[in-house]
Amino acid sequence: MRLNKRLHAFNEKRAALLDEMEALDPAELVARPLAGRWSILEIIEHLVIAERMVLQGLPEPSRLVERERRLKHRFLYLIVMFVLKYGIRVQVPSPAMVPRGARSLREVRRLWDENQEWLRGYIGSLDRRGFRRAVFEHPVAGPLSVEQTVRMDQVHLNTHIRQIRRLQRLLI
């Protein structure tokens, strides 16, 4: 799948999730049916702040620096993708990715929209070679290309949608 199609599919799924969450009772968004676990809103906030962290805080694209990607990074990327795809519980890879729980769904949506608008603009400015430049950084997988970042974003979203569905079943 071409990168723009992949990003479009991601954004459709993201928008559907956010629209569905807006229709919930606000108490459901912040409920914690499992002690020590995140609420639905915190899960969504985590998705947003983790994405923004990997995107290096949405800098002016000319300030992005290509990073060296070694063989170990390729293996670490595959491991992170495996963990995400199969929903293996692990600690959040960076304290900066832990939700604060103080943002509203409206604010989280606005931030996520900003992330995605920036990413679409960045992708639109690239030539084919630029898609493979490792300018993003994951705290475990290391340097990532825009292609890898979008793939990881999709798998990360799917992982947390499954987590949200489990929470919703507990709230019934």
Side-chain angles (χ1 to χ4, degrees):
M1 183 187 290
R2 286 191 0 239
L3 188 57
N4 284 323
K5 285 185 181 179
R6 186 180 297 273
L7 191 59
H8 180 73
F10 172 84
N11 274 298
E12 284 186 346
K13 185 175 271 193
R14 176 183 77 86
L17 174 67
L18 290 169
D19 290 346
E20 178 186 341
M21 295 303 108
E22 284 180 352
L24 291 179
D25 179 329
E28 288 180 65
L29 286 174
V30 296
R32 291 181 178 211
L34 298 170
R37 300 281 179 88
W38 294 339
S39 68
I40 291 171
L41 184 55
E42 288 170 323
I43 293 167
I44 296 169
E45 181 183 3
H46 162 72
L47 286 163
V48 174
I49 60 179
E51 179 182 87
R52 189 167 287 222
M53 184 179 170
V54 168
L55 296 176
Q56 303 299 298
L58 316 182
E60 170 62 37
S62 64
R63 296 183 68 208
L64 290 170
V65 175
E66 188 165 8
R67 293 160 163 75
E68 182 181 356
R69 200 168 29 182
R70 297 186 173 149
L71 184 59
K72 79 173 188 171
H73 298 125
R74 295 175 197 276
F75 285 118
L76 289 170
Y77 173 77
L78 294 173
I79 290 168
V80 169
M81 293 295 278
F82 181 86
V83 165
L84 289 172
K85 183 174 181 181
Y86 292 101
I88 298 168
R89 274 188 57 82
V90 294
Q91 279 191 316
V92 177
S94 167
M97 292 180 174
V98 175
R100 294 180 305 175
R103 293 182 169 118
S104 67
L105 184 58
R106 172 177 274 156
E107 182 181 357
V108 170
R109 179 177 222 148
R110 181 187 58 75
L111 291 171
W112 212 353
D113 288 345
E114 283 177 10
N115 290 0
Q116 289 300 305
E117 183 180 330
W118 182 91
L119 185 56
R120 278 190 303 274
Y122 176 69
I123 289 170
S125 73
L126 296 175
D127 59 18
R128 300 267 317 142
R129 190 175 101 40
F131 293 150
R132 290 187 173 81
R133 288 180 57 228
V135 296
F136 301 123
E137 183 86 26
H138 184 273
V140 173
L144 300 175
S145 69
V146 70
E147 292 175 325
Q148 290 175 312
T149 300
V150 170
R151 271 191 231 112
M152 187 179 283
D153 228 1
Q154 284 182 308
V155 175
H156 192 220
L157 176 62
N158 290 337
T159 296
H160 287 299
I161 286 175
R162 290 190 307 268
Q163 185 182 12
I164 288 168
R165 298 295 177 236
R166 284 191 300 271
L167 276 177
Q168 287 178 307
R169 286 191 298 274
L170 291 172
L171 292 168
I172 294 175

